Amino acid sequence: MTGPVPTGAAPTDPGALRQRALDALTAARARTATLTSCVDDHDLTAQHSPLMSPLVWDLAHIGNQEEQWLLRAVAGRDAMRPEIDSLYDAFEHPRASRPSLPLLSPAEARRYAAEVRGRALDVLESTPLEGGSRLVDAGFAFGMIAQHEQQHDETMLITHQLRTGPAALSAPEPPPGSTADLPREVLVPGGPFTMGTSAEPWALDNERPAHHRIVPAFHLDTTPVTCGAYLRFIEDGGYTDERWWEPKGWAMVRRHGLTAPLFWRQEGGQWLRRRFGVTEPVPLDEPVLHVSWYEADAYARWAGRRLPTEEEWEKAARFDPASGRSRRYPWGDADPTSEHANLGQRHLRPAPAGAYPAGASPLGVRQLIGDVWEWTSSDFMPYPGFVAFPYREYSEVFFGPDHKVLRGGSFAVDQVACRGTFRNWDLPVRRQIFAGFRTARDA
């Protein structure tokens, strides 16, 4: 059944919402500039992997989506460049074919995106954010576009990871962490909790509506599975033992000769990885990264455990046993800070397991937000009462058993596109994304 969410939510005052939208749009554009100014035009127009678009496509697509929703849909203005709409339609052109399109040059893409942004800020200033259409109430359209740009910034960061050549990005190291004083797992009590949201102003359609779930008690890893733990799976023959694998996952391992996570290699008896143009020893205390759902599931089976369901993950992340309510985040209702979570490309790697004690859930689970996306066992399905808004292609066309749900965000995700209710999804074969996992077991 559905019901209200008894949590504190993001601001609803029009002035505060307007400032929040401005801040979110500005932060997204600054990050886009960082990702597209650190390489030359050749790297911007090249396709670094058939799995990804050229960076310049993402840049112009960001501008085109902003124009379509904020200038046309919200402000009712005429199209600036209607002839390019089809070029930057993600459903019309698969990523592998985008380099062959007559795309805007890097200079043209920058000019176009900048002109759109200037006009969009005028629209933000003049548009009432309450009492209007659902699209503009609480500044939803502006928040949606900020989230969209940050999601493409994450996609562009993945492209940077796939790109060969010297490092183009840099960032400080994340804070230290330790699991020495932490239990291996936490008991999450059984019973009802409120999943999803009907109150978060910028929540996307697949996060809605709030509804009640009854989840049996279960145990969940206190931290994500580390590279060191995953290495034990490798050394125990995990990639050569069919017992641990889903049939399609085993076929993937055999077809591609997989022996370790993407970007890992063994050299001179040592495991190394490539990270944004730098080769370094695999850090044993860091959450494992760049593993597919099939690899995560195989590890969990090998360990005598399983991946958590999506509802288990959200209950662990949001449920407060003392009050019985669902929080916005594990630590409470306040927006994330650098003390809570590794978000926003502040660092270019996950923090060691056990970091961010201020971001722990009431039950003591660490790093549920940020660091690595976490695979769950769940298929991407609509919640009871789901309504597509503002367009079917964001969520609805992906529902079904082909896509698995990921939760929690990663170091590559900005806080505007990451919350306790936020749902990500991808194909179970995907390895280039910033995904790891944690395991669970029945209580």
Side-chain angles (χ1 to χ4, degrees):
M1 65 180 174
T2 61
V5 179
T7 66
T12 55
D13 172 72
L17 275 169
R18 204 179 307 278
Q19 186 61 50
R20 182 179 183 230
L22 177 61
D23 292 344
L25 290 167
T26 302
R29 188 52 48 89
R31 185 178 176 197
T32 299
T34 296
L35 290 163
T36 55
S37 65
C38 63
V39 292
D40 61 21
D41 284 3
H42 171 75
D43 272 343
L44 289 175
T45 57
Q47 186 171 48
H48 299 284
S49 166
L51 296 172
M52 311 304 292
S53 308
L55 292 167
V56 73
W57 186 93
D58 287 288
L59 176 58
H61 171 78
I62 286 167
N64 186 249
Q65 286 291 293
E66 187 165 325
E67 185 202 344
Q68 290 195 44
W69 286 104
L70 300 188
L71 303 190
R72 302 185 206 175
V74 171
R77 299 186 182 181
D78 292 337
M80 291 170 55
R81 298 194 62 171
E83 76 280 2
I84 69 171
D85 287 355
S86 65
L87 295 178
Y88 298 102
D89 185 328
F91 283 87
E92 189 170 336
H93 302 287
R95 287 175 174 176
S97 69
R98 290 172 189 170
S100 64
L101 300 173
L103 303 177
L104 299 183
S105 70
E108 290 174 319
R110 288 190 179 101
R111 282 195 299 270
Y112 170 63
E115 185 175 357
V116 170
R117 173 52 56 88
R119 298 184 186 188
L121 294 183
D122 290 340
V123 173
L124 173 62
E125 183 64 29
S126 61
T127 301
L129 301 184
E130 57 181 349
S133 71
R134 183 180 172 192
L135 191 61
V136 297
D137 276 350
F140 175 81
F142 301 95
M144 178 184 73
I145 286 301
Q147 292 179 81
H148 174 265
E149 181 162 356
Q150 287 285 4
Q151 287 170 318
H152 274 272
D153 288 341
E154 181 182 9
T155 298
M156 288 194 283
L157 191 62
I158 293 170
T159 302
H160 273 279
Q161 169 64 11
L162 289 162
R163 166 186 165 271
T164 58
L169 296 165
S170 63
E173 292 298 297
S178 173
T179 58
D181 298 323
L182 296 177
R184 179 191 169 190
E185 62 182 8
V186 169
L187 173 65
V188 180
F193 89 106
T194 300
M195 186 172 184
T197 180
S198 297
E200 189 75 29
W202 293 355
L204 303 173
D205 60 4
N206 64 63
E207 301 171 67
R208 300 174 181 271
H211 58 286
H212 296 295
R213 298 277 183 105
I214 296 178
V215 179
F218 66 100
H219 295 273
L220 185 70
D221 288 341
T222 304
T223 68
V225 171
T226 63
C227 293
Y230 197 85
L231 187 57
R232 291 192 288 274
F233 167 67
I234 297 173
E235 292 173 340
D236 195 44
Y239 280 86
T240 60
D241 194 332
E242 187 177 358
R243 286 180 299 164
W244 313 127
W245 297 84
E246 287 275 351
K248 290 182 179 178
W250 181 243
M252 179 185 76
V253 167
R254 302 289 289 173
R255 183 168 60 253
H256 298 290
L258 304 185
T259 59
L262 186 61
F263 306 116
W264 285 31
R265 74 172 192 270
Q266 198 169 23
E267 188 175 293
Q270 183 181 30
W271 281 99
L272 305 174
R273 73 173 182 186
R274 180 169 60 83
R275 181 178 60 87
F276 299 110
V278 175
T279 298
E280 60 190 12
V282 168
L284 300 183
D285 61 347
E286 194 174 286
V288 68
L289 194 62
H290 297 302
V291 289
S292 67
W293 183 89
Y294 290 125
E295 289 165 291
D297 179 68
Y299 173 95
R301 292 168 186 256
W302 168 82
R305 297 169 71 84
R306 59 177 175 80
L307 295 179
T309 66
E310 181 183 14
E311 61 186 8
E312 286 175 336
W313 188 97
E314 186 168 325
K315 183 168 187 179
R318 299 185 62 211
F319 182 68
D320 180 6
S323 64
R325 74 180 184 91
S326 292
R327 301 170 162 192
R328 293 178 69 212
Y329 299 98
W331 55 85
D333 298 332
D335 287 338
T337 70
S338 60
E339 298 297 312
H340 293 120
N342 183 2
L343 292 167
Q345 202 180 309
R346 187 180 295 117
H347 311 290
L348 285 171
R349 63 193 302 163
Y356 298 103
S361 76
L363 297 171
V365 188
R366 298 279 182 98
Q367 294 165 282
L368 284 158
I369 299 293
D371 286 307
V372 295
W373 283 109
E374 298 185 16
W375 288 109
T376 72
S377 64
S378 299
D379 297 336
F380 184 47
M381 302 297 290
Y383 289 162
F386 167 84
V387 176
F389 177 79
Y391 59 106
R392 290 185 61 250
E393 290 78 11
Y394 180 70
S395 301
E396 188 175 352
V397 297
F398 296 102
F399 289 146
D402 292 342
H403 294 85
K404 294 294 185 180
V405 174
L406 301 106
R407 286 304 204 103
S410 73
F411 66 89
V413 178
D414 186 79
Q415 68 176 54
V416 75
C418 186
R419 47 195 164 263
T421 58
F422 193 91
R423 307 172 75 197
N424 189 11
W425 64 95
D426 215 324
L427 299 171
V429 298
R430 288 287 186 253
R431 308 177 84 214
Q432 81 275 17
I433 60 177
F434 300 114
F437 63 100
R438 71 181 75 212
T439 67
R441 67 181 176 94
D442 297 342

